[in-house]
Amino acid sequence: MEDYDRAIALDPNYGDAFNNRGIADLNLGRLDAAMADFNNALRLDPKKASSLFGRGVAKRRMGDTTGGDADIAAAKAISADVTDGMAAAGVQP
């Protein structure tokens, strides 16, 4: 987490750092932090499939099944193999 924090401090437009920190937040159960990180990553790259997928998982875990499913479907439309990549990172819907 410190590395992601440092990377973002050095370059606040580094979307991959937000995305990767969001995945770490999600795996740690820090859903609000994950949502913020995925939203920042999507602000920088609205078509980032892993960020959409991660945000969808966070929404589902927060009780927003409809919104979560919509984000996950959008992620799969961008990249059909996003589920495999996110599973490798420990993220399952």
Side-chain angles (χ1 to χ4, degrees), residues 1-11 21:
M1 296 302 277
E2 290 176 15
D3 289 341
Y4 296 131
D5 294 342
R6 213 171 12 249
I8 291 166
L10 291 170
D11 183 0
R21 188 173 70 180

Side-chain angles (χ1 to χ4, degrees), residues 5-69:
D5 294 342
R6 213 171 12 249
I8 291 166
L10 291 170
D11 183 0
N13 293 315
Y14 187 22
D16 285 342
F18 282 110
N19 180 69
N20 294 341
R21 188 173 70 180
I23 291 169
D25 287 330
L26 196 56
N27 285 331
L28 292 170
R30 298 172 16 170
L31 300 179
D32 289 332
M35 284 291 294
D37 283 333
F38 291 130
N39 284 331
N40 277 314
L42 289 165
R43 174 181 53 82
L44 296 166
D45 182 359
K47 300 282 186 186
K48 180 110 176 130
S50 58
S51 296
L52 277 167
F53 190 93
R55 186 176 73 178
V57 172
K59 284 180 178 180
R60 286 177 57 89
R61 291 181 184 173
M62 295 171 89
D64 180 7
T65 305
T66 302
D69 288 348

